[in-house]
Amino acid sequence: MPEPLRVVIADDQALLRGSFRLLVDSEPDMTVVGEAATGAEAVEVVQAARPDVVLMDVRMPGMDGIAATRLLTERMPSARVLILTMFDLDAHVFDALRAGAAGFLLKDTRPADLCAAIRVVASGEALLAPAVTRRLIAEFARTTGSRPALSRELDVLTPRETEVLTLIAHGLSNTELAERLHLSLATVKTYIGRLLAKLRARDRAQLVVLAYETGLVTASGGRSAGPR
């Protein structure tokens, strides 16, 4: 029987930490190995406990969740951080992706969905639902003010790889990609692996960041028509 997934919970609200702990520990395939009330504590706890997944609140006193995520992913490239967020309050979701977060989870998500999200992130996938992606687009548009020029960084991609990257940036899952492009799941995973290697991205979340930062996908939701 495989070892249970090791989870660290970082949130400044003790009640929420306790609720998350009860939920995670109730699952037979995962266990909480540490808690933190600040970003600085989260960095210390994660480095000591070496968890598979970190549930990280964005807003914490002192060092916030974004800064903690950035520090952790620099020191521990294998760290998988799942950001806990309330979108109506948090205006820096895109910054968290830049910092290396593997995905996002609403604090009021259903218990079963939270546990499923932990498993998805632990498996190496990124958790980026279409609703999350739309907010990322809006935030990127607000902070950049105008569409970036289409970067030549993407010249290494084939037309098909570019198409896959565009759809990933719009929030499609592997299953949705397979259906849209009439490919097998194995082929979709192969394309994603090539994208990660060619663009030197750590995961799917960073592919989304690159798609917007290079101008491949615009804030209006379309694909840039600029020359490559």
Side-chain angles (χ1 to χ4, degrees), residues 7-17 20 35-43 46 53-70 72 80-87 89-90 92-93 96 99 101 103-108 114:
V7 180
V8 162
I9 301 168
D11 195 295
D12 63 340
Q13 298 184 46
L15 183 60
L16 275 177
R17 290 200 310 274
F20 286 137
E35 294 183 19
T38 68
E41 286 182 9
V43 173
V46 170
V53 176
V54 185
L55 295 181
M56 182 80 76
D57 186 21
V58 170
R59 299 192 171 210
M60 292 184 286
M63 181 187 294
D64 64 17
I66 294 175
T69 297
R70 183 177 297 109
L72 281 173
R80 306 291 295 169
V81 180
L82 184 57
I83 295 289
L84 301 172
T85 183
M86 295 297 292
F87 290 119
L89 299 176
D90 297 325
H92 303 293
V93 176
F104 297 86
L105 193 67
L106 285 169
K107 286 188 175 181
D108 61 355
L114 183 146

Side-chain angles (χ1 to χ4, degrees), residues 6-163:
R6 297 164 58 82
V7 180
V8 162
I9 301 168
D11 195 295
D12 63 340
Q13 298 184 46
L15 183 60
L16 275 177
R17 290 200 310 274
S19 298
F20 286 137
R21 174 182 277 275
L22 285 174
L23 177 60
V24 171
D25 281 342
S26 70
E27 296 294 309
D29 63 337
M30 58 184 72
T31 184
V32 175
V33 295
E35 294 183 19
T38 68
E41 286 182 9
V43 173
E44 293 179 2
V45 171
V46 170
Q47 290 184 135
R50 300 281 167 170
D52 298 296
V53 176
V54 185
L55 295 181
M56 182 80 76
D57 186 21
V58 170
R59 299 192 171 210
M60 292 184 286
M63 181 187 294
D64 64 17
I66 294 175
T69 297
R70 183 177 297 109
L71 196 56
L72 281 173
T73 54
E74 287 174 355
R75 295 180 180 180
M76 301 171 58
S78 62
R80 306 291 295 169
V81 180
L82 184 57
I83 295 289
L84 301 172
T85 183
M86 295 297 292
F87 290 119
D88 291 340
L89 299 176
D90 297 325
H92 303 293
V93 176
F94 199 83
D95 289 338
L97 272 186
R98 282 196 182 103
F104 297 86
L105 193 67
L106 285 169
K107 286 188 175 181
D108 61 355
T109 192
R110 296 185 306 169
D113 291 340
L114 183 146
C115 294
I118 292 172
R119 295 184 184 101
V120 166
V121 170
S123 72
E125 294 287 334
L127 192 72
L128 292 171
V132 177
T133 305
R134 283 194 295 272
R135 289 185 179 272
L136 293 176
I137 297 169
E139 174 64 10
F140 185 70
R142 185 187 69 79
T143 56
T144 59
S146 62
R147 189 181 74 188
L150 191 57
S151 173
R152 300 194 66 84
E153 184 178 355
L154 303 182
D155 285 352
V156 297
L157 304 182
T158 66
R160 190 61 148 178
E161 289 166 349
T162 302
E163 183 179 16

Side-chain angles (χ1 to χ4, degrees), residues 186-206:
T187 302
V188 167
K189 290 179 180 179
T190 296
Y191 275 116
I192 293 174
R194 290 175 184 169
L195 287 170
L196 292 172
K198 287 186 175 182
L199 298 177
R200 298 180 181 179
R202 57 178 280 144
D203 56 25
R204 193 189 196 98
Q206 283 202 338

